[in-house]
Amino acid sequence: QSALTQPASVSGSPGQSITISCTGTSSDVATYDIVSWYQQHPGEVPKLIIYEVTKRPSGVSNRFSGSKSGDTASLTISGLQTEDEAYYYCYSYANTTYLFGGGTQLTVL
Amino acid sequence: QMQLVQSGPELKEPGASVKVSCKTSGYSFTNYEMNWVRQAPGQGLEWMGWINTRTGSPTYAPGFTGRFVFSLDTSVSTANLQIRSLKAEDTAVYYCARGRGNGRSFFDSWGQGTPVTVSS
């Protein structure tokens, strides 16, 4: 059981916006700005899409954005596209170590 | 151009050992820490720990102590993961990932992954 809790699945239609949450505790996610997000298409290598809660690496679409409120970090994808269908993982310092959330499967209907 | 190129797929029997290598190029190897991440079939990502590429000092995540060994060969800019006394549950894809921030805050470049299958 991961100490970072993500919904198992979310879905949306092309053009819509969705948000994936990543919930830790008041002593980790809430305290440290060390949340990153990774996109992984089946059979492919994970790709960094957000780091340090809100920062976007060069080359990543500005449709991806990150935020944090209290012990919950969030990834928002706006203007959903079919190629956004993938698994998304948060990663942070939590429970005295670093770990990934359990992952969220995004389906674009 | 930065690259992390891992060694090829491995098929091992239970009780054996395996060594996965991660050869880097396109950046100064000792300027960035190296992390290891495991992904079991159909499962999520697990952070295994990291190694300080200047000192060679490893740090293992809970659940990855004892049979897992991180090492370096700085002469060829390569990080290695050795797993001893392999078990069926070690069957997974193992990734090396370059650490940023404090060395393990986030990972900006990944190897292609090395599938390790443990089966008799």
Side-chain angles (χ1 to χ4, degrees):
Chain A
Q1 187 80 19
S2 176
L4 293 176
T5 303
Q6 297 181 233
S9 63
V10 299
S11 62
S13 300
Q16 288 186 331
S17 294
I18 63 94
T19 296
I20 299 172
S21 60
C22 173
T23 302
T25 70
S26 59
S27 58
D28 41 61
V29 172
T31 301
Y32 303 99
D33 288 339
I34 312 178
V35 180
S36 55
W37 291 89
Y38 301 84
Q39 176 192 60
Q40 186 181 34
H41 290 102
E44 297 187 6
V45 178
K47 174 188 175 183
L48 176 69
I49 55 174
I50 295 289
Y51 67 99
E52 294 175 353
V53 182
T54 61
K55 299 176 182 177
R56 202 169 43 246
S58 173
V60 172
S61 170
N62 59 9
R63 298 186 299 103
F64 294 91
S65 62
S67 63
K68 187 177 75 169
S69 178
D71 61 6
T72 298
S74 298
L75 171 70
T76 298
I77 309 174
S78 59
L80 269 179
Q81 299 179 1
T82 54
E83 57 261 37
D84 298 333
E85 187 161 291
Y87 288 86
Y88 292 85
Y89 297 91
C90 63
Y91 172 84
S92 181
Y93 179 76
N95 201 26
T96 72
T97 184
Y98 289 83
L99 72 163
F100 289 93
T104 298
Q105 182 178 18
L106 169 62
T107 302
V108 181
L109 304 169
Chain B
Q1 178 186 356
M2 174 176 54
Q3 281 192 304
L4 282 67
V5 179
Q6 297 185 223
S7 49
E10 299 274 6
L11 173 60
K12 296 289 185 179
E13 292 189 348
S17 295
V18 69
K19 191 172 188 177
V20 175
S21 66
C22 173
K23 183 171 177 56
T24 72
S25 61
Y27 73 95
S28 180
F29 180 67
T30 54
N31 280 358
Y32 299 89
E33 319 307 355
M34 190 62 74
N35 293 255
W36 290 93
V37 176
R38 182 173 79 178
Q39 187 168 36
Q43 302 300 309
L45 304 172
E46 294 180 272
W47 181 69
M48 301 174 65
W50 66 290
I51 184 165
N52 185 313
T53 54
R54 287 166 299 285
T55 67
S57 175
T59 299
Y60 301 98
F64 293 99
T65 56
R67 298 187 300 113
F68 300 85
V69 180
F70 305 151
S71 64
L72 304 172
D73 186 343
T74 55
S75 67
V76 288
S77 301
T78 298
N80 302 299
L81 163 66
Q82 184 179 28
I83 311 173
R84 301 168 176 163
S85 303
L86 283 163
K87 306 175 181 180
E89 51 263 41
D90 295 324
T91 294
V93 176
Y94 292 84
Y95 294 99
C96 58
R98 191 177 81 161
R100 300 295 304 276
N102 66 0
R104 57 252 188 233
S105 300
F106 62 97
F107 315 121
D108 67 345
S109 185
W110 297 60
Q112 82 276 20
T114 297
V116 174
T117 303
V118 183
S119 175
S120 54

